[in-house]
Amino acid sequence: MTTSRAPGDLSPASAGTAEREGRRRGFRRERLVQALFLAPAALFLLLFFGYPVAKNVVMSLQEYTTRTFFTGEAPWVGLANYATAVGSSLFGPAMLNTALFTLGSIAGQFVIGLALASFFKRRFPLSGFLRSMLLLPWLLPLIVSSATWRSILDQDSGILNAFLRNLGVIQEPVPWLTSPSVALLAVVLVNIWVGIPFNVTLIYGGLQEIPEELYEAGAVDGATGWKAFWHITWPNLRPVVSVVLVLGVVYTLKVLDIILGLTNGGPANATQTLAVRSYQESFVNFQFGVGAAFSNILILISLVFAVVYLRMNRRAVDE
Amino acid sequence: MTTLDVTTARSAPARPRKANRPKLGHTAVGLLLLAVMLFPVYWMVNASLQPSGNTLTADLLPLNPSFEGYEKAIAQQGPNLLTSLVISLGTVVFSLAVAAPAAYMLAQFRFRWINAALLAILISQMIPGIVIANALYAAYNHLGLLNSIPGLILADSTHAIPFVILIMRAFMMRIPPSIVEAARVDGAGLVRAFVSIVLPISRNSLITAGLFAFLFSWSDFLFALTLTTTEDVRPVTLGIYQYLGTQVSNWSAVMATAVLSSLPAIVLLVLAQKYIAAGATGGAVK
């Protein structure tokens, strides 16, 4: 209690109001404690999400370079950084690579994830254990996965080329990560591998929600196998599918670890995406303004998908 | 994840089998699928034990294992592994301390703006890390937080805090308010009730959230890359990246470091399977 009551207030006549007063003060105190529970998280989100987004917008309108750190000056340049970003010869390829990387990754992860989830939905000895072990690629640090795949994909000493040659699929070793024509494909393949567990887990959860009776009723009508999949599984899985796909897009758009670890954006810029451009402008070229412009374009694209996600997912938030 | 509901933790109802014979054929296919999926992980372990350090001459099985790679890895990356450990533990403590009380408020009390708050938390998870790194670099430069462990703990908590809030809130929504109210009637304050009742009941979700906070921070690469400029504070993820920077001729040390960096994930997956599975669906938003 912050204020103390005057002793005279305790006279019988004013006891009722005093009690009400006390209760109101208790209520206010309760509200204060509630606010204290929330304050640290609110402050953190404000400082580490709110501020960076705002700062990024400001930076993208300034000439913000290494010099800024010494002189403290960051002259306003309007939309010049955006003009530089969009006008650069790498913008078109970066957009295209981002689109191909995202679409390829999502398609691969989803199809394989759906197949694995459907398979592990059956109950057989060890099914639960095997399914949880499947999560491992998702839990490994991404840079570890990059390093491992770099050794596997190595042109001369990698196991993949040795394997394919033994099978007779290829005659000459494929320069997976050093040829501009296949590097993007290689990066997509690795990202598919990384994303499969996430897809399996969410889709498996969705499959579990479909009532068994639907399949039993379907079987009576002759819907089994693929028919059951098209007429029962797919329609009932649709909400989960949309969420998996949209979330997949939002997460894939911002992937950096995999690309930097495997190719560093090379060879010959073949694996430059918007996220990589943003990183390289800011932290390799020290053009923070241009880097911010690139990442704001990335945010805008993510935002479109985020809105789609939230519309589909409104119920979950409203709960 | 969509419903923030822990679906896998629920076991499917036991139904009578038509044939009681276990479906071993399915198990065999399942094992094969798992073997294909986890082959890269096996290959990482195998390559780390190859004596030549050159994967071209690597055998399919490490029949003559050599620990040279590990000796090198520990000599070169030992301090970095330690740095990663300190940062990750710090992130766990900080994120749980900040997020758990907030999760409780958002789960058990009615506010008009609760949907807006949840929306903000969901959206925050979608902001690309490079945006945060960009702004933090400038701010950290001013504040002297570059190349510092507290700086990285704070930055790494951006992965963990939104996740912890969502996953703990999902759990705490299921705590019956009557339990806490009973304690309140007995005179316990909100803080007291939270510490002595809510937290103990929420033990499992605290463990799940803590494990993920650890893994997120342990795996962080982007903040390590952008918010450190010297060798002073160097997480092991950055150590691996530097190995990759030059033409790699000796893979055994790189793969040994990769194996050591994978240990937390492997150990947690084996020991805390049910928590991991619950967390993966509970808040799967990584």
Side-chain angles (χ1 to χ4, degrees), chain A residues 97-162:
Chain A
N97 289 340
T98 306
L100 290 175
F101 178 74
T102 308
L103 283 176
S105 301
I106 300 294
Q109 290 169 5
F110 180 76
V111 171
I112 299 174
L114 179 62
L116 285 175
S118 308
F119 177 77
F120 280 98
K121 199 198 144 203
R122 302 153 192 251
R123 294 177 56 74
F124 51 85
L126 287 181
S127 62
F129 173 75
L130 296 178
R131 189 167 40 84
S132 13
M133 286 302 120
L134 216 53
L135 278 175
L136 189 56
W138 182 60
L139 297 173
L140 293 183
L142 288 173
I143 199 75
V144 165
S145 304
S146 303
T148 305
W149 277 99
R150 254 202 47 193
S151 91
I152 291 174
L153 294 172
D154 193 283
Q155 180 176 1
D156 298 318
S157 68
I159 178 91
L160 184 63
N161 279 341

Side-chain angles (χ1 to χ4, degrees), chain A residues 59-129:
Chain A
M59 270 172 131
S60 72
L61 302 173
Q62 289 175 311
E63 190 185 315
Y64 208 109
T65 61
T66 340
R67 245 192 27 194
T68 309
F69 295 114
F70 295 108
T71 61
E73 285 167 25
W76 292 95
V77 292
L79 295 175
N81 289 322
Y82 290 92
T84 309
V86 176
S88 73
S89 60
L90 282 177
F91 183 75
M95 286 292 277
L96 183 65
N97 289 340
T98 306
L100 290 175
F101 178 74
T102 308
L103 283 176
S105 301
I106 300 294
Q109 290 169 5
F110 180 76
V111 171
I112 299 174
L114 179 62
L116 285 175
S118 308
F119 177 77
F120 280 98
K121 199 198 144 203
R122 302 153 192 251
R123 294 177 56 74
F124 51 85
L126 287 181
S127 62
F129 173 75

Side-chain angles (χ1 to χ4, degrees), chain A:
Chain A
M1 292 290 145
T2 43
T3 52
S4 60
R5 252 179 286 159
D9 272 4
L10 283 175
S11 65
S14 60
T17 41
E19 196 180 297
R20 211 177 311 138
E21 177 81 352
R23 208 182 298 145
R24 194 184 309 150
R25 219 174 290 162
F27 180 71
R28 227 179 287 147
R29 187 191 141 106
E30 179 88 11
R31 279 312 233 191
L32 187 74
V33 177
Q34 289 179 2
L36 280 179
F37 270 60
L38 278 173
L43 191 68
F44 183 87
L45 291 175
L46 216 58
L47 286 179
F48 284 84
F49 289 103
Y51 166 77
V53 171
K55 175 82 178 171
N56 234 51
V57 172
V58 174
M59 270 172 131
S60 72
L61 302 173
Q62 289 175 311
E63 190 185 315
Y64 208 109
T65 61
T66 340
R67 245 192 27 194
T68 309
F69 295 114
F70 295 108
T71 61
E73 285 167 25
W76 292 95
V77 292
L79 295 175
N81 289 322
Y82 290 92
T84 309
V86 176
S88 73
S89 60
L90 282 177
F91 183 75
M95 286 292 277
L96 183 65
N97 289 340
T98 306
L100 290 175
F101 178 74
T102 308
L103 283 176
S105 301
I106 300 294
Q109 290 169 5
F110 180 76
V111 171
I112 299 174
L114 179 62
L116 285 175
S118 308
F119 177 77
F120 280 98
K121 199 198 144 203
R122 302 153 192 251
R123 294 177 56 74
F124 51 85
L126 287 181
S127 62
F129 173 75
L130 296 178
R131 189 167 40 84
S132 13
M133 286 302 120
L134 216 53
L135 278 175
L136 189 56
W138 182 60
L139 297 173
L140 293 183
L142 288 173
I143 199 75
V144 165
S145 304
S146 303
T148 305
W149 277 99
R150 254 202 47 193
S151 91
I152 291 174
L153 294 172
D154 193 283
Q155 180 176 1
D156 298 318
S157 68
I159 178 91
L160 184 63
N161 279 341
F163 177 71
L164 292 176
R165 250 156 81 161
N166 282 340
L167 278 185
V169 178
I170 55 169
Q171 305 304 316
E172 289 301 307
V174 179
W176 292 108
L177 299 173
T178 46
S179 152
S181 51
V182 286
L184 189 63
L185 176 69
V187 173
V188 168
L189 287 177
V190 175
N191 198 48
I192 288 175
W193 181 78
V194 169
I196 286 172
F198 180 77
N199 281 258
V200 172
T201 309
L202 292 197
I203 297 170
Y204 178 83
L207 290 177
Q208 292 290 94
E209 299 286 303
I210 303 176
E212 197 59 39
E213 294 83 57
L214 287 182
Y215 290 101
E216 282 159 17
V220 173
D221 295 337
T224 50
W226 280 106
K227 264 193 186 156
F229 180 81
W230 280 120
H231 296 293
I232 301 169
T233 310
W234 188 251
N236 282 290
L237 199 61
R238 267 236 304 271
V240 176
V241 169
S242 343
V243 168
V244 170
L245 292 181
V246 177
L247 272 187
V249 169
V250 173
Y251 296 136
T252 311
L253 280 174
K254 60 180 186 177
V255 166
L256 258 177
D257 309 36
I258 297 281
I259 298 180
L260 290 184
L262 284 171
T263 61
N264 235 328
N269 297 318
T271 54
Q272 292 275 344
T273 60
L274 287 176
V276 175
R277 282 309 317 135
S278 175
Y279 162 74
Q280 292 196 334
E281 287 295 348
S282 287
F283 292 99
V284 178
N285 304 339
F286 299 110
Q287 298 290 331
F288 286 88
V290 181
F294 267 111
S295 58
N296 285 339
I297 296 172
L298 190 62
I299 292 187
L300 276 181
I301 300 175
S302 302
L303 208 62
V304 172
F305 289 96
V307 169
V308 175
Y309 170 78
L310 293 168
R311 299 211 124 213
M312 289 186 313
N313 205 21
R314 189 177 284 159
R315 238 175 343 130
V317 179
D318 284 346
E319 271 177 0

Side-chain angles (χ1 to χ4, degrees), chain A residues 30-31 33-38 40-42 44-45 47-49 51-53 55-56 59 64 69 112 116 119-120 122-126 128-144 146-152 154 156-159 193 196-198 201-202 204-205 208-209 212 216 239-240 243 247 250-251 254 256-257 260-262 264 275 278-279 282-283 286 288 291-292 295-296 298-299 302-303 305-306 309-310 313 316-319, chain B residues 1-4 7-8 10 12 15 17 22-24 26-27 29-31 33-34 37-41 43-44 54-56 60 94 98-99 101-102 104-106 109-111 113 115 118-119 121-141 154-155 157-158 161-162 165 169 173 184 190-191 194 212 215 218-219 221-222 225-226 237 240-241 244 246 248 251 254-255 258 261-262 265-266 269-270 273 276-277 280-281 284-286:
Chain A
E30 179 88 11
R31 279 312 233 191
V33 177
Q34 289 179 2
L36 280 179
F37 270 60
L38 278 173
F44 183 87
L45 291 175
L47 286 179
F48 284 84
F49 289 103
Y51 166 77
V53 171
K55 175 82 178 171
N56 234 51
M59 270 172 131
Y64 208 109
F69 295 114
I112 299 174
L116 285 175
F119 177 77
F120 280 98
R122 302 153 192 251
R123 294 177 56 74
F124 51 85
L126 287 181
F129 173 75
L130 296 178
R131 189 167 40 84
S132 13
M133 286 302 120
L134 216 53
L135 278 175
L136 189 56
W138 182 60
L139 297 173
L140 293 183
L142 288 173
I143 199 75
V144 165
S146 303
T148 305
W149 277 99
R150 254 202 47 193
S151 91
I152 291 174
D154 193 283
D156 298 318
S157 68
I159 178 91
W193 181 78
I196 286 172
F198 180 77
T201 309
L202 292 197
Y204 178 83
Q208 292 290 94
E209 299 286 303
E212 197 59 39
E216 282 159 17
V240 176
V243 168
L247 272 187
V250 173
Y251 296 136
K254 60 180 186 177
L256 258 177
D257 309 36
L260 290 184
L262 284 171
N264 235 328
S278 175
Y279 162 74
S282 287
F283 292 99
F286 299 110
F288 286 88
S295 58
N296 285 339
L298 190 62
I299 292 187
S302 302
L303 208 62
F305 289 96
Y309 170 78
L310 293 168
N313 205 21
V317 179
D318 284 346
E319 271 177 0
Chain B
M1 200 244 46
T2 56
T3 56
L4 301 174
T7 34
T8 42
R10 212 186 306 147
R15 289 187 303 118
R17 283 253 77 93
K23 300 182 165 180
L24 289 178
H26 281 121
T27 307
V29 177
L31 272 170
L33 291 173
L34 189 70
M37 264 301 280
L38 295 192
F39 176 79
V41 182
W43 195 249
M44 163 179 85
N54 184 338
T55 48
L56 182 62
L60 280 173
F94 180 73
V98 167
Y104 177 62
M105 277 301 129
L106 294 174
F109 293 84
R110 302 254 164 271
F111 300 101
W113 38 264
N115 285 339
L118 289 173
L119 198 69
I121 294 166
L122 271 176
I123 289 187
S124 71
Q125 289 190 305
M126 300 178 177
I127 295 171
I130 187 67
V131 171
I132 297 168
N134 226 357
L136 284 190
Y137 183 86
Y140 274 20
N141 191 41
L154 285 170
S157 297
T158 60
I161 284 180
I165 293 179
R169 173 176 181 268
M173 293 200 21
R184 304 293 307 277
L190 198 51
V191 177
F194 178 71
F212 274 91
L215 282 182
W218 181 268
S219 312
F221 164 69
L222 185 61
L225 178 66
T226 53
T237 46
I240 294 178
Y241 183 61
L244 295 177
T246 47
V248 186
W251 278 103
V254 184
M255 288 298 106
S261 314
S262 307
I266 294 173
L269 188 61
V270 173
Q273 231 189 82
I276 295 285
T281 32
V285 189
K286 189 177 173 179

